[in-house]
Every structure is written in C-alpha cells, then in structure tokens.
Amino acid sequence: MSSPSQQVVRLGFGFAVSQALRVVIELGIPDLLASGGRSVEDLAAAAKADAEPLYRVMRLLAPEGVFTEIRPRHFGLTEVGAALRSDRPGPRDFIRMINSEAYLAFEQLLHSVRTGKPAFDKVFGSPRFDWLSAHPEQAALFQRAMVALSQGGNEAVADAYDFGRYTRVVDVGGGHGQLLSAILARSPHLSGVLFDLPSGVAAARRGAGGDLPRTDFVAGDFFEGLPAGDIYVLKKVIHDWDDERAELILRRCREAMPTHGRVLVAETLVPPGDDPDPIKAIDVVMLAVTGGLERTEAQYARLFEGAGLKFERVIGTRASISILEASPA
C-alpha cells in the first residue's frame, strides 16, 4: 500500500498522464493498434515519432489501463485505449481540447481561487467563448468535444421528459442541435427553435441536414432576449456562467414564456460527500476556464428563485445528467 507521501506525489503527476493521452491521440497510436499489437519501433515509424520517447509515454499509460505491454516494447490496445480511436464516438476530442488552451489556463488556477475570476481571461486576454469565436479551428474542436461528451445524454434527456402538452420547444444555446433533434423525433407534434450565437446557428444549419424538421434557426444573444416558445431547454449551458449571468439567462426564459411554460435545465448535479466524481474535477476546470460552476440541487433552486421561477422537481435520466424543471413563479 502506498504511503500518504507517495499518494500525494502520484496525484501531483496527474498532468503527465493527461498530456500523455493527448500525445498518443495526436500521433494516432490507438488507430495504429486497432488491428493488433505492434512494437514501439513499428508504431514510431508509422507515426513519424522517435521510438524511445514514444515507449516512455506508452509505458506511463499502460498502468493506467490505456495500453498493455504484451511483451517487452510491444503494446496492445485495451478497451479504455480503444475509446480513443478516431472511428469510435468517445472522449478523444475532449482530451485534445482540454489539454490545449484550457490546460494552459489551468496553470493559473491559483489566480482564480484568489480572485474568483477565470484564469483563462488572464492568460489569453479575453473570455473563453470570445477567444473561441476568434479561433475557428479550436472552436470546431470544442464543438466536437461537446458532442462526444453528449453521447447518450441527449437521448436520455429526450426520453425522460413528457413534452406532450407543449407546442414549441426552444433549445437555448443549442449548438449543433443534437438534443433538439432527439426531442423532435420523439414528439412529432412539436415545432422547434434552435437558438444560439450566429456562428453556432451557421454550424447547425450546415450539420443538421434532415435531422431538424419543423425548426426555426434563430441567432442571437441569450443575455439580451429569447424567441417565443412554451418550453425552454438548456442543456449544459447554465454551468458555463457565474450566478449573476446564469440567473439572467433564466430570467430571459421567464420573460419569453407564457404562464403555462416551463424551463428545463439539464445538468449534472454535484453530489454530496467525499466520493470521487468527475463532475467535481469539471467544476474546478469551469472555475479556471469559463468562470462558471457545477452546482448542487440547492444552488440551482436559488438561481430559479432569483430569476422569477418556481423550482418544481428534479427528473433523473439513465445518463449522468438530471433535468431540473421550473415554472413561472
């Protein structure tokens, strides 16, 4: 069993594992191992890398369950490593995204803890989403990473809520429209609005194809106002923002909806206690990168109250995301 000091040292080297994952993704190592084990020399030649440094990186990742060293300097792919292949939906784009500009910002986490302000703004000179707007390649990677993280979540949200008594659903900050597509497919009586910034709406138009029938594409700023509808869905939107701006988004929903309307906030709730949970790590990343936060049920209830909404209930889904329903107060 490791001593406390050894455990602390292991925790401190978390950055090495994170960056090593990014390196093997960028070199395409999981793809090269898809058909079976290979020597590190063979992998290095195919990936145009140096064999000895590549071996050291893969040796680091093998005890983490990404690869297995089947014999000296020969590696095979595990089920965990297979999730990083380019032909499978999974977290590879998230690993690439979180280990680039977000990683650089996280070095200044102490600044965020001392000031309450995003370290990203200090390091890059502008807020995260403004920076992404000016860097289309990184913005495209960010969108792909969000799509990867949403695998199964959109369907789980669409299945968990009964949209039967509503007529027009507004997907606020809807991105590429996967959630709205899932909702409309299950509720053919509904019409939809995909609402996002102009760049998001343009990307949704390009990628939606026939997956968004009965849908209006509306560009705008959700801090300024929202189009009419009777149910507003915000999936993984509120967590991007501090309490003041999150409350403002919800208030804009309240202003736009009729008296029978509803707001559905789909987020992963922070659980109580000391048990490990990825959302606790994501919460600290939000602190440093966007200034947002992951919240408990009680924190969401306070946001709703401040926005003039009544918190109705939490609806669980088969995924690690919950639906928080609110109505006009």
Side-chain angles (χ1 to χ4, degrees):
M1 184 176 179
S2 299
S3 70
S5 294
Q6 289 170 325
Q7 292 180 50
V8 169
V9 169
R10 176 175 168 78
L11 289 171
F13 278 114
F15 74 94
V17 173
S18 183
Q19 284 293 330
L21 284 172
R22 180 189 179 192
V23 166
V24 297
I25 289 171
E26 297 291 355
L27 293 176
I29 301 301
D31 287 348
L32 292 171
L33 288 173
S35 59
R38 299 172 70 169
S39 72
V40 73
E41 286 75 19
D42 188 17
L43 291 168
K48 297 181 173 56
D50 188 286
E52 193 58 31
L54 178 60
Y55 172 69
R56 292 158 67 181
V57 167
M58 295 184 71
R59 181 176 60 185
L60 168 65
L61 292 175
E64 303 295 336
V66 179
F67 305 113
T68 179
E69 192 167 4
I70 50 183
R71 62 180 186 273
R73 301 180 69 85
H74 285 70
F75 288 90
L77 195 62
T78 66
E79 289 186 10
V80 173
L84 302 176
R85 285 169 46 177
S86 61
D87 62 345
R88 296 189 180 182
R92 58 179 279 119
D93 284 324
F94 174 76
I95 296 297
R96 293 178 64 219
M97 181 272 293
I98 206 69
N99 280 288
S100 51
E101 66 273 3
Y103 180 89
L104 296 175
F106 207 70
E107 193 272 334
Q108 293 291 323
L109 176 62
L110 182 59
H111 168 78
S112 294
V113 174
R114 282 179 166 159
T115 67
K117 298 178 180 179
F120 190 98
D121 300 22
K122 177 184 179 183
V123 174
F124 289 92
S126 64
R128 168 70 159 159
F129 294 112
D130 291 351
W131 188 90
L132 286 174
S133 294
H135 295 82
E137 287 189 10
Q138 287 84 356
L141 175 60
F142 175 81
Q143 286 293 342
R144 294 197 302 273
M146 294 304 100
V147 169
L149 288 181
S150 295
Q151 292 295 328
N154 295 320
E155 291 75 13
V157 170
D159 284 337
Y161 191 82
D162 182 3
F163 290 87
R165 71 189 188 96
Y166 304 100
T167 60
R168 189 163 177 82
V169 57
V170 181
D171 189 356
V172 180
H176 285 196
Q178 291 88 357
L179 174 58
L180 183 57
S181 175
I183 292 171
L184 294 176
R186 289 159 175 78
S187 302
H189 69 286
L190 279 176
S191 65
V193 178
L194 191 142
F195 183 87
D196 211 317
L197 294 170
S199 58
V201 169
R205 283 185 180 277
R206 289 194 301 270
D211 292 335
L212 287 172
R214 312 182 306 280
T215 295
D216 293 328
F217 294 82
V218 180
D221 182 341
F222 48 42
F223 294 116
E224 300 297 327
L226 292 169
D230 55 359
I231 186 160
Y232 291 76
V233 181
L234 303 96
K235 178 175 175 284
K236 294 294 185 180
V237 171
I238 296 300
H239 77 152
D240 285 330
W241 306 99
D242 60 28
D243 284 349
E244 181 180 356
R245 287 180 289 181
E247 187 177 299
L248 178 57
I249 297 168
L250 293 172
R251 191 178 305 123
R252 295 298 183 232
C253 294
R254 171 65 185 90
E255 292 167 353
M257 72 169 63
T259 56
H260 69 277
R262 289 291 188 273
V263 175
L264 305 181
V265 171
E267 296 281 0
T268 301
L269 297 175
V270 178
D274 293 339
D275 290 339
D277 194 296
I279 200 64
K280 296 176 181 179
I282 293 172
D283 174 54
V284 180
V285 173
M286 301 300 289
L287 167 67
V289 176
T290 70
L293 65 153
E294 306 297 340
R295 295 175 171 90
T296 64
E297 180 180 330
Q299 287 175 302
Y300 279 110
R302 288 195 291 272
L303 285 182
F304 288 135
E305 182 180 5
L309 294 162
K310 178 185 176 184
F311 179 32
E312 296 285 353
R313 55 177 173 157
V314 175
I315 304 166
T317 76
R318 64 175 182 270
S320 61
I321 190 169
S322 298
I323 301 170
L324 298 100
E325 182 183 29
S327 61

Tab-separated table of all heavy atoms in Angstrom, residues 80-125:
chain	number	residue	atom	x	y	z
A	80	VAL	N	-10.111	0.585	-22.754
A	80	VAL	CA	-10.004	2.010	-22.453
A	80	VAL	C	-9.309	2.731	-23.602
A	80	VAL	O	-9.772	3.774	-24.089
A	80	VAL	CB	-9.240	2.232	-21.133
A	80	VAL	CG1	-8.967	3.719	-20.904
A	80	VAL	CG2	-10.029	1.655	-19.964
A	81	GLY	N	-8.203	2.191	-24.053
A	81	GLY	CA	-7.483	2.812	-25.165
A	81	GLY	C	-8.295	2.846	-26.444
A	81	GLY	O	-8.182	3.788	-27.246
A	82	ALA	N	-9.131	1.821	-26.650
A	82	ALA	CA	-9.951	1.774	-27.859
A	82	ALA	C	-10.937	2.929	-27.924
A	82	ALA	O	-11.362	3.334	-29.015
A	82	ALA	CB	-10.693	0.438	-27.938
A	83	ALA	N	-11.305	3.482	-26.766
A	83	ALA	CA	-12.203	4.647	-26.754
A	83	ALA	C	-11.560	5.871	-27.388
A	83	ALA	O	-12.250	6.841	-27.709
A	83	ALA	CB	-12.626	4.965	-25.322
A	84	LEU	N	-10.242	5.822	-27.602
A	84	LEU	CA	-9.519	6.946	-28.192
A	84	LEU	C	-9.299	6.790	-29.697
A	84	LEU	O	-8.676	7.647	-30.311
A	84	LEU	CB	-8.163	7.110	-27.494
A	84	LEU	CG	-8.233	7.339	-25.986
A	84	LEU	CD1	-6.824	7.393	-25.399
A	84	LEU	CD2	-8.990	8.621	-25.659
A	85	ARG	N	-9.832	5.715	-30.276
A	85	ARG	CA	-9.718	5.555	-31.722
A	85	ARG	C	-10.563	6.592	-32.451
A	85	ARG	O	-11.615	7.011	-31.976
A	85	ARG	CB	-10.160	4.149	-32.123
A	85	ARG	CG	-9.166	3.072	-31.792
A	85	ARG	CD	-9.717	1.671	-31.946
A	85	ARG	NE	-10.461	1.487	-33.195
A	85	ARG	CZ	-10.992	0.326	-33.565
A	85	ARG	NH1	-10.864	-0.740	-32.790
A	85	ARG	NH2	-11.662	0.237	-34.712
A	86	SER	N	-10.115	6.963	-33.645
A	86	SER	CA	-10.808	8.018	-34.392
A	86	SER	C	-12.125	7.549	-34.985
A	86	SER	O	-12.969	8.375	-35.344
A	86	SER	CB	-9.903	8.539	-35.514
A	86	SER	OG	-9.589	7.501	-36.426
A	87	ASP	N	-12.328	6.250	-35.088
A	87	ASP	CA	-13.552	5.748	-35.708
A	87	ASP	C	-14.632	5.405	-34.691
A	87	ASP	O	-15.627	4.783	-35.041
A	87	ASP	CB	-13.249	4.521	-36.575
A	87	ASP	CG	-12.686	3.351	-35.769
A	87	ASP	OD1	-12.263	3.568	-34.611
A	87	ASP	OD2	-12.646	2.227	-36.305
A	88	ARG	N	-14.440	5.797	-33.441
A	88	ARG	CA	-15.426	5.498	-32.414
A	88	ARG	C	-15.839	6.785	-31.704
A	88	ARG	O	-14.986	7.606	-31.355
A	88	ARG	CB	-14.871	4.516	-31.383
A	88	ARG	CG	-14.557	3.149	-31.966
A	88	ARG	CD	-14.219	2.167	-30.877
A	88	ARG	NE	-13.911	0.854	-31.427
A	88	ARG	CZ	-13.609	-0.205	-30.677
A	88	ARG	NH1	-13.572	-0.084	-29.365
A	88	ARG	NH2	-13.346	-1.361	-31.248
A	89	PRO	N	-17.145	6.941	-31.457
A	89	PRO	CA	-17.572	8.071	-30.631
A	89	PRO	C	-16.942	7.942	-29.247
A	89	PRO	O	-16.927	6.862	-28.671
A	89	PRO	CB	-19.093	7.914	-30.558
A	89	PRO	CG	-19.444	7.011	-31.691
A	89	PRO	CD	-18.266	6.102	-31.886
A	90	GLY	N	-16.398	9.010	-28.760
A	90	GLY	CA	-15.742	8.913	-27.466
A	90	GLY	C	-15.049	10.193	-27.086
A	90	GLY	O	-15.279	11.249	-27.670
A	91	PRO	N	-14.167	10.106	-26.103
A	91	PRO	CA	-13.614	11.315	-25.484
A	91	PRO	C	-12.361	11.868	-26.135
A	91	PRO	O	-11.765	12.795	-25.589
A	91	PRO	CB	-13.295	10.823	-24.069
A	91	PRO	CG	-12.919	9.392	-24.263
A	91	PRO	CD	-13.803	8.883	-25.376
A	92	ARG	N	-11.937	11.343	-27.298
A	92	ARG	CA	-10.645	11.781	-27.846
A	92	ARG	C	-10.611	13.282	-28.102
A	92	ARG	O	-9.609	13.951	-27.797
A	92	ARG	CB	-10.277	11.007	-29.111
A	92	ARG	CG	-11.264	11.090	-30.232
A	92	ARG	CD	-10.812	10.310	-31.475
A	92	ARG	NE	-9.864	11.092	-32.259
A	92	ARG	CZ	-8.626	10.710	-32.516
A	92	ARG	NH1	-8.166	9.570	-32.038
A	92	ARG	NH2	-7.833	11.465	-33.234
A	93	ASP	N	-11.699	13.841	-28.651
A	93	ASP	CA	-11.696	15.281	-28.904
A	93	ASP	C	-11.744	16.070	-27.601
A	93	ASP	O	-11.186	17.172	-27.512
A	93	ASP	CB	-12.869	15.663	-29.805
A	93	ASP	CG	-12.616	15.279	-31.253
A	93	ASP	OD1	-11.460	15.369	-31.697
A	93	ASP	OD2	-13.573	14.892	-31.942
A	94	PHE	N	-12.416	15.521	-26.594
A	94	PHE	CA	-12.393	16.179	-25.284
A	94	PHE	C	-10.974	16.208	-24.718
A	94	PHE	O	-10.528	17.242	-24.207
A	94	PHE	CB	-13.320	15.463	-24.309
A	94	PHE	CG	-13.242	16.006	-22.909
A	94	PHE	CD1	-13.854	17.201	-22.578
A	94	PHE	CD2	-12.535	15.332	-21.930
A	94	PHE	CE1	-13.773	17.718	-21.296
A	94	PHE	CE2	-12.434	15.841	-20.642
A	94	PHE	CZ	-13.066	17.033	-20.324
A	95	ILE	N	-10.236	15.105	-24.815
A	95	ILE	CA	-8.855	15.069	-24.317
A	95	ILE	C	-7.998	16.075	-25.072
A	95	ILE	O	-7.190	16.808	-24.475
A	95	ILE	CB	-8.269	13.655	-24.449
A	95	ILE	CG1	-9.032	12.663	-23.562
A	95	ILE	CG2	-6.784	13.650	-24.088
A	95	ILE	CD1	-8.956	12.946	-22.079
A	96	ARG	N	-8.174	16.161	-26.379
A	96	ARG	CA	-7.404	17.126	-27.177
A	96	ARG	C	-7.756	18.547	-26.778
A	96	ARG	O	-6.879	19.410	-26.641
A	96	ARG	CB	-7.677	16.915	-28.667
A	96	ARG	CG	-7.153	15.593	-29.225
A	96	ARG	CD	-7.506	15.462	-30.696
A	96	ARG	NE	-6.860	16.483	-31.490
A	96	ARG	CZ	-7.429	17.113	-32.510
A	96	ARG	NH1	-8.683	16.825	-32.859
A	96	ARG	NH2	-6.771	18.032	-33.184
A	97	MET	N	-9.038	18.816	-26.592
A	97	MET	CA	-9.479	20.172	-26.265
A	97	MET	C	-9.019	20.593	-24.874
A	97	MET	O	-8.456	21.669	-24.688
A	97	MET	CB	-11.004	20.248	-26.377
A	97	MET	CG	-11.614	21.611	-26.081
A	97	MET	SD	-11.999	21.883	-24.325
A	97	MET	CE	-13.320	20.699	-24.072
A	98	ILE	N	-9.224	19.737	-23.883
A	98	ILE	CA	-8.940	20.125	-22.508
A	98	ILE	C	-7.442	20.240	-22.254
A	98	ILE	O	-7.004	20.915	-21.316
A	98	ILE	CB	-9.599	19.119	-21.521
A	98	ILE	CG1	-9.870	19.793	-20.169
A	98	ILE	CG2	-8.756	17.883	-21.346
A	98	ILE	CD1	-10.940	20.848	-20.204
A	99	ASN	N	-6.628	19.601	-23.110
A	99	ASN	CA	-5.179	19.648	-22.932
A	99	ASN	C	-4.499	20.654	-23.848
A	99	ASN	O	-3.285	20.578	-24.050
A	99	ASN	CB	-4.589	18.256	-23.147
A	99	ASN	CG	-4.744	17.382	-21.930
A	99	ASN	OD1	-4.075	17.585	-20.926
A	99	ASN	ND2	-5.648	16.431	-22.001
A	100	SER	N	-5.249	21.583	-24.390
A	100	SER	CA	-4.646	22.648	-25.202
A	100	SER	C	-4.783	23.972	-24.453
A	100	SER	O	-4.178	24.173	-23.407
A	100	SER	CB	-5.264	22.674	-26.592
A	100	SER	OG	-6.680	22.699	-26.528
A	101	GLU	N	-5.609	24.888	-24.939
A	101	GLU	CA	-5.667	26.203	-24.287
A	101	GLU	C	-6.242	26.137	-22.872
A	101	GLU	O	-5.821	26.890	-21.979
A	101	GLU	CB	-6.453	27.202	-25.145
A	101	GLU	CG	-7.932	26.911	-25.314
A	101	GLU	CD	-8.225	25.984	-26.459
A	101	GLU	OE1	-7.273	25.501	-27.121
A	101	GLU	OE2	-9.422	25.722	-26.704
A	102	ALA	N	-7.185	25.215	-22.646
A	102	ALA	CA	-7.724	25.079	-21.293
A	102	ALA	C	-6.639	24.621	-20.319
A	102	ALA	O	-6.574	25.078	-19.166
A	102	ALA	CB	-8.894	24.098	-21.297
A	103	TYR	N	-5.773	23.747	-20.763
A	103	TYR	CA	-4.660	23.260	-19.944
A	103	TYR	C	-3.723	24.411	-19.574
A	103	TYR	O	-3.283	24.526	-18.423
A	103	TYR	CB	-3.914	22.177	-20.716
A	103	TYR	CG	-2.734	21.571	-20.006
A	103	TYR	CD1	-2.889	20.462	-19.187
A	103	TYR	CD2	-1.456	22.089	-20.183
A	103	TYR	CE1	-1.801	19.890	-18.549
A	103	TYR	CE2	-0.362	21.526	-19.551
A	103	TYR	CZ	-0.539	20.423	-18.730
A	103	TYR	OH	0.546	19.861	-18.100
A	104	LEU	N	-3.424	25.257	-20.542
A	104	LEU	CA	-2.538	26.385	-20.277
A	104	LEU	C	-3.162	27.350	-19.272
A	104	LEU	O	-2.480	27.875	-18.399
A	104	LEU	CB	-2.221	27.115	-21.584
A	104	LEU	CG	-1.441	26.308	-22.623
A	104	LEU	CD1	-1.295	27.101	-23.910
A	104	LEU	CD2	-0.064	25.916	-22.079
A	105	ALA	N	-4.455	27.548	-19.385
A	105	ALA	CA	-5.127	28.434	-18.431
A	105	ALA	C	-5.109	27.850	-17.028
A	105	ALA	O	-4.979	28.577	-16.034
A	105	ALA	CB	-6.571	28.680	-18.884
A	106	PHE	N	-5.208	26.544	-16.932
A	106	PHE	CA	-5.322	25.899	-15.627
A	106	PHE	C	-4.053	26.065	-14.793
A	106	PHE	O	-4.099	25.953	-13.565
A	106	PHE	CB	-5.647	24.417	-15.807
A	106	PHE	CG	-6.399	23.819	-14.662
A	106	PHE	CD1	-7.721	24.170	-14.433
A	106	PHE	CD2	-5.790	22.927	-13.799
A	106	PHE	CE1	-8.420	23.624	-13.382
A	106	PHE	CE2	-6.487	22.375	-12.733
A	106	PHE	CZ	-7.807	22.728	-12.522
A	107	GLU	N	-2.934	26.362	-15.446
A	107	GLU	CA	-1.700	26.619	-14.695
A	107	GLU	C	-1.865	27.810	-13.759
A	107	GLU	O	-1.160	27.931	-12.750
A	107	GLU	CB	-0.543	26.842	-15.675
A	107	GLU	CG	0.838	26.812	-15.046
A	107	GLU	CD	1.284	28.170	-14.521
A	107	GLU	OE1	0.788	29.191	-15.048
A	107	GLU	OE2	2.120	28.204	-13.592
A	108	GLN	N	-2.814	28.692	-14.078
A	108	GLN	CA	-3.077	29.876	-13.269
A	108	GLN	C	-4.309	29.690	-12.372
A	108	GLN	O	-4.990	30.662	-12.025
A	108	GLN	CB	-3.265	31.085	-14.176
A	108	GLN	CG	-2.009	31.503	-14.915
A	108	GLN	CD	-0.959	32.074	-13.978
A	108	GLN	OE1	-1.277	32.770	-13.024
A	108	GLN	NE2	0.306	31.766	-14.247
A	109	LEU	N	-4.600	28.459	-11.986
A	109	LEU	CA	-5.748	28.195	-11.117
A	109	LEU	C	-5.689	29.009	-9.835
A	109	LEU	O	-6.729	29.465	-9.329
A	109	LEU	CB	-5.813	26.698	-10.788
A	109	LEU	CG	-6.902	26.262	-9.802
A	109	LEU	CD1	-8.292	26.554	-10.352
A	109	LEU	CD2	-6.749	24.775	-9.461
A	110	LEU	N	-4.505	29.213	-9.291
A	110	LEU	CA	-4.371	29.985	-8.053
A	110	LEU	C	-4.956	31.385	-8.215
A	110	LEU	O	-5.577	31.926	-7.301
A	110	LEU	CB	-2.905	30.065	-7.629
A	110	LEU	CG	-2.609	30.806	-6.327
A	110	LEU	CD1	-3.327	30.167	-5.142
A	110	LEU	CD2	-1.098	30.839	-6.081
A	111	HIS	N	-4.783	31.966	-9.407
A	111	HIS	CA	-5.374	33.281	-9.680
A	111	HIS	C	-6.893	33.226	-9.526
A	111	HIS	O	-7.502	34.131	-8.933
A	111	HIS	CB	-5.006	33.727	-11.102
A	111	HIS	CG	-5.768	34.915	-11.597
A	111	HIS	ND1	-5.465	36.216	-11.206
A	111	HIS	CD2	-6.842	35.013	-12.439
A	111	HIS	CE1	-6.313	37.053	-11.789
A	111	HIS	NE2	-7.157	36.350	-12.539
A	112	SER	N	-7.506	32.173	-10.034
A	112	SER	CA	-8.961	32.042	-9.927
A	112	SER	C	-9.401	31.872	-8.474
A	112	SER	O	-10.422	32.434	-8.054
A	112	SER	CB	-9.449	30.853	-10.761
A	112	SER	OG	-9.241	31.072	-12.132
A	113	VAL	N	-8.646	31.102	-7.723
A	113	VAL	CA	-9.017	30.872	-6.325
A	113	VAL	C	-8.868	32.149	-5.504
A	113	VAL	O	-9.681	32.435	-4.619
A	113	VAL	CB	-8.175	29.724	-5.739
A	113	VAL	CG1	-8.441	29.551	-4.246
A	113	VAL	CG2	-8.483	28.414	-6.464
A	114	ARG	N	-7.865	32.943	-5.813
A	114	ARG	CA	-7.665	34.185	-5.063
A	114	ARG	C	-8.653	35.280	-5.448
A	114	ARG	O	-9.073	36.081	-4.612
A	114	ARG	CB	-6.232	34.682	-5.279
A	114	ARG	CG	-5.198	33.945	-4.453
A	114	ARG	CD	-3.798	34.445	-4.708
A	114	ARG	NE	-2.872	33.967	-3.691
A	114	ARG	CZ	-1.556	33.898	-3.858
A	114	ARG	NH1	-1.012	34.257	-5.021
A	114	ARG	NH2	-0.783	33.457	-2.884
A	115	THR	N	-9.024	35.322	-6.724
A	115	THR	CA	-9.825	36.447	-7.212
A	115	THR	C	-11.269	36.078	-7.533
A	115	THR	O	-12.124	36.962	-7.643
A	115	THR	CB	-9.196	37.032	-8.486
A	115	THR	OG1	-9.280	36.067	-9.546
A	115	THR	CG2	-7.741	37.421	-8.243
A	116	GLY	N	-11.541	34.790	-7.751
A	116	GLY	CA	-12.857	34.373	-8.218
A	116	GLY	C	-13.073	34.598	-9.699
A	116	GLY	O	-14.188	34.400	-10.203
A	117	LYS	N	-12.033	34.992	-10.420
A	117	LYS	CA	-12.140	35.288	-11.851
A	117	LYS	C	-11.465	34.198	-12.677
A	117	LYS	O	-10.512	33.561	-12.215
A	117	LYS	CB	-11.515	36.648	-12.156
A	117	LYS	CG	-12.220	37.801	-11.437
A	117	LYS	CD	-11.548	39.127	-11.734
A	117	LYS	CE	-12.261	40.273	-11.012
A	117	LYS	NZ	-11.609	41.576	-11.268
A	118	PRO	N	-11.912	33.999	-13.913
A	118	PRO	CA	-11.327	32.924	-14.736
A	118	PRO	C	-9.854	33.173	-15.046
A	118	PRO	O	-9.475	34.260	-15.495
A	118	PRO	CB	-12.166	32.949	-16.015
A	118	PRO	CG	-13.401	33.703	-15.674
A	118	PRO	CD	-13.031	34.664	-14.597
A	119	ALA	N	-9.041	32.165	-14.831
A	119	ALA	CA	-7.634	32.251	-15.201
A	119	ALA	C	-7.469	32.379	-16.706
A	119	ALA	O	-6.507	32.991	-17.187
A	119	ALA	CB	-6.888	31.025	-14.693
A	120	PHE	N	-8.389	31.808	-17.469
A	120	PHE	CA	-8.317	31.863	-18.933
A	120	PHE	C	-8.215	33.309	-19.411
A	120	PHE	O	-7.414	33.628	-20.299
A	120	PHE	CB	-9.542	31.192	-19.540
A	120	PHE	CG	-9.449	30.980	-21.023
A	120	PHE	CD1	-9.072	29.741	-21.527
A	120	PHE	CD2	-9.740	31.991	-21.919
A	120	PHE	CE1	-8.977	29.532	-22.903
A	120	PHE	CE2	-9.650	31.796	-23.286
A	120	PHE	CZ	-9.259	30.561	-23.787
A	121	ASP	N	-9.019	34.191	-18.834
A	121	ASP	CA	-9.019	35.591	-19.253
A	121	ASP	C	-7.652	36.234	-19.039
A	121	ASP	O	-7.188	37.029	-19.863
A	121	ASP	CB	-10.072	36.374	-18.477
A	121	ASP	CG	-11.482	35.849	-18.692
A	121	ASP	OD1	-11.622	34.676	-19.080
A	121	ASP	OD2	-12.442	36.601	-18.454
A	122	LYS	N	-7.005	35.869	-17.937
A	122	LYS	CA	-5.678	36.425	-17.637
A	122	LYS	C	-4.635	35.911	-18.618
A	122	LYS	O	-3.798	36.674	-19.122
A	122	LYS	CB	-5.274	36.061	-16.210
A	122	LYS	CG	-3.877	36.524	-15.826
A	122	LYS	CD	-3.489	36.045	-14.429
A	122	LYS	CE	-2.069	36.502	-14.091
A	122	LYS	NZ	-1.614	36.004	-12.782
A	123	VAL	N	-4.682	34.621	-18.929
A	123	VAL	CA	-3.665	34.002	-19.778
A	123	VAL	C	-3.837	34.388	-21.246
A	123	VAL	O	-2.862	34.683	-21.942
A	123	VAL	CB	-3.709	32.470	-19.617
A	123	VAL	CG1	-2.767	31.790	-20.601
A	123	VAL	CG2	-3.351	32.078	-18.181
A	124	PHE	N	-5.088	34.440	-21.718
A	124	PHE	CA	-5.343	34.645	-23.144
A	124	PHE	C	-5.868	36.031	-23.488
A	124	PHE	O	-6.031	36.363	-24.664
A	124	PHE	CB	-6.310	33.575	-23.662
A	124	PHE	CG	-5.687	32.214	-23.741
A	124	PHE	CD1	-5.775	31.339	-22.673
A	124	PHE	CD2	-4.986	31.818	-24.868
A	124	PHE	CE1	-5.191	30.079	-22.734
A	124	PHE	CE2	-4.394	30.563	-24.939
A	124	PHE	CZ	-4.492	29.693	-23.867
A	125	GLY	N	-6.171	36.825	-22.482
A	125	GLY	CA	-6.551	38.205	-22.734
A	125	GLY	C	-7.991	38.429	-23.104
A	125	GLY	O	-8.392	39.558	-23.415
